[in-house]
Amino acid sequence: MPKVSEEHRAAMRERIQRAALACVAEKGFSNVAMGDIIAKAGLSAGAVYVYYRSKEELIVDAGRRVFEERMAALERLSAHQPVPPPQDAVVSLMSGLMAMDFFPDVAVQVWGEAVRNDQLGEVAQNILVQIRGHLENYLEAWIRTSRPDEDAEATARCLAPAVMGLIQGFAIQSALGKEGTGPDYLKSARAILASL
């Protein structure tokens, strides 16, 4: 039997993740079964279960991929000289989220499910810790270049939870809001972040 390449595995995982996200967007997280995802992916059950044992595991992996992509973009900004200010970097991060498939509706549904599903909740907490770490790294780099006399590490640690809350609030208001909520929120977030 020929060996399956890592590229093939990654492509299969992405295909299954996209199918899962599309199903959740159409039916809602609690109404989607693995059978729905398998049918949407156009694969056999065996092919899907090779990669994912449950809907929760699959959705978490899809969410992790989405946020890893955005956090990698934030890390690139942290390494840029000069480090762009939060009103540019964080707003760019949020704008990038809006360009992604199934954001914000699916993200908000999964966060809601994580509140009552221990397995999903534990993984969501780990992802949030990672996101906060990336935000702290970015903020620390920005503070070091913009306010060299300040304790950059302590200030970044203090600011990161609120900045993360702005991003989460953006998802919630965009999911529940009317047309145009996103641009209005980004304008408001830019003003708040400019005052840091």
Side-chain angles (χ1 to χ4, degrees), residues 21-136:
L21 293 171
C23 287
V24 171
E26 289 170 16
K27 296 183 172 189
F29 185 87
S30 60
N31 295 324
V32 171
M34 281 298 281
D36 299 319
I37 297 167
I38 291 164
K40 180 69 98 178
L43 298 168
S44 70
V48 172
Y49 282 108
V50 162
Y51 296 96
Y52 298 105
R53 292 172 292 176
S54 69
K55 170 178 72 170
E56 290 80 6
E57 181 183 325
L58 169 52
I59 294 297
V60 163
D61 197 37
R64 182 180 290 117
R65 181 178 57 83
V66 166
F67 280 104
E68 282 174 357
E69 290 169 7
R70 298 314 310 151
M71 292 304 108
L74 188 61
E75 289 298 322
R76 286 191 297 276
L77 289 174
S78 299
H80 191 270
Q81 290 302 321
V83 177
Q87 66 267 26
D88 295 336
V90 176
V91 169
S92 172
L93 174 70
M94 290 190 282
S95 296
L97 287 171
M98 284 305 287
M100 302 187 99
D101 290 341
F102 313 113
F103 183 89
D105 300 347
V106 173
V108 171
Q109 287 183 59
V110 173
W111 290 341
E113 188 67 24
V115 171
R116 62 183 195 89
N117 179 315
D118 291 340
Q119 177 191 4
L120 212 50
E122 184 177 331
V123 177
Q125 280 298 323
N126 289 336
I127 291 171
L128 290 176
V129 166
Q130 290 173 26
I131 292 170
R132 182 173 170 172
H134 285 285
L135 285 170
E136 285 180 14

Side-chain angles (χ1 to χ4, degrees), residues 128-146:
L128 290 176
V129 166
Q130 290 173 26
I131 292 170
R132 182 173 170 172
H134 285 285
L135 285 170
E136 285 180 14
N137 290 342
Y138 156 73
L139 288 166
E140 185 175 343
W142 172 70
I143 292 164
R144 284 191 197 291
T145 60
S146 63

